Amino acid sequence: MSGADCIYCLQDERLARLMLPVCSLDAADIYLFRDQLHRGRCVVALNKHYRELHELPEATLRQFMSSVARTAQALQDIFAPDKLNYAIYGDIVDHLHFHLVPKYNEGPDWGQPFQTSSASASLLADEDYRELSETIRRQLLG
């Protein structure tokens, strides 16, 4: 996949089926995953098409990692998880992005990697997505 066919670059219906936009930070766009099995699961996507962290210019790397850390702090403040999982895959969607997944001791996937496509997906009503997105946006943007 190149930037020409990238769901993050095109922001087309493929992206809309998976996640909802929350806000933009200096070097990243923040999305709320539609599957909320892990309440607060977000994606922090670089706002330019790169495939690997080591490809980023130093200033972009700093800004991107700052966006990841800010989003992680917001999720920690809102959801108080026992642990946040951070994942970068990119096998299918090669645009650089982090999955930030709040996890709880007695919750799904504790002690193992979170499932990226779950048979037990937890989908919300539109109003619940709006409310959750707004809560995260306010925490990030003040």
Side-chain angles (χ1 to χ4, degrees), residues 62-114:
R62 277 194 307 275
Q63 285 183 321
F64 182 54
M65 294 309 293
S66 176
S67 296
V68 171
R70 278 180 62 190
T71 305
Q73 184 65 63
L75 296 179
Q76 185 68 45
D77 292 345
I78 296 166
F79 300 103
D82 294 312
K83 180 68 176 99
L84 278 168
N85 281 188
Y86 302 77
I88 299 178
Y89 299 115
D91 299 352
I92 297 170
V93 178
D94 69 358
H95 186 114
L96 189 56
H97 64 286
F98 271 83
H99 293 260
L100 299 183
V101 183
K103 290 180 65 182
Y104 303 88
N105 252 328
E106 302 299 321
D109 301 320
W110 183 257
Q112 61 190 357
F114 67 91

Side-chain angles (χ1 to χ4, degrees), residues 15-128:
L15 184 68
R17 280 194 303 268
L18 293 172
M19 57 194 84
L20 303 158
V22 173
C23 66
S24 294
L25 300 177
D26 292 336
D29 296 316
I30 314 306
Y31 298 93
L32 179 67
F33 226 72
R34 285 193 185 273
D35 179 0
Q36 285 292 295
L37 178 63
H38 298 91
R39 189 88 166 157
R41 179 180 175 186
C42 286
V43 168
V44 180
L46 187 67
N47 62 10
K48 298 176 185 151
H49 192 89
Y50 282 89
R51 298 181 65 217
E52 306 291 345
L53 282 171
H54 67 266
E55 296 173 344
L56 299 180
E58 189 63 34
T60 304
L61 176 61
R62 277 194 307 275
Q63 285 183 321
F64 182 54
M65 294 309 293
S66 176
S67 296
V68 171
R70 278 180 62 190
T71 305
Q73 184 65 63
L75 296 179
Q76 185 68 45
D77 292 345
I78 296 166
F79 300 103
D82 294 312
K83 180 68 176 99
L84 278 168
N85 281 188
Y86 302 77
I88 299 178
Y89 299 115
D91 299 352
I92 297 170
V93 178
D94 69 358
H95 186 114
L96 189 56
H97 64 286
F98 271 83
H99 293 260
L100 299 183
V101 183
K103 290 180 65 182
Y104 303 88
N105 252 328
E106 302 299 321
D109 301 320
W110 183 257
Q112 61 190 357
F114 67 91
Q115 299 298 307
T116 57
S117 55
S118 174
S120 58
S122 179
L123 301 178
L124 307 177
D126 289 344
E127 180 57 32
D128 293 331

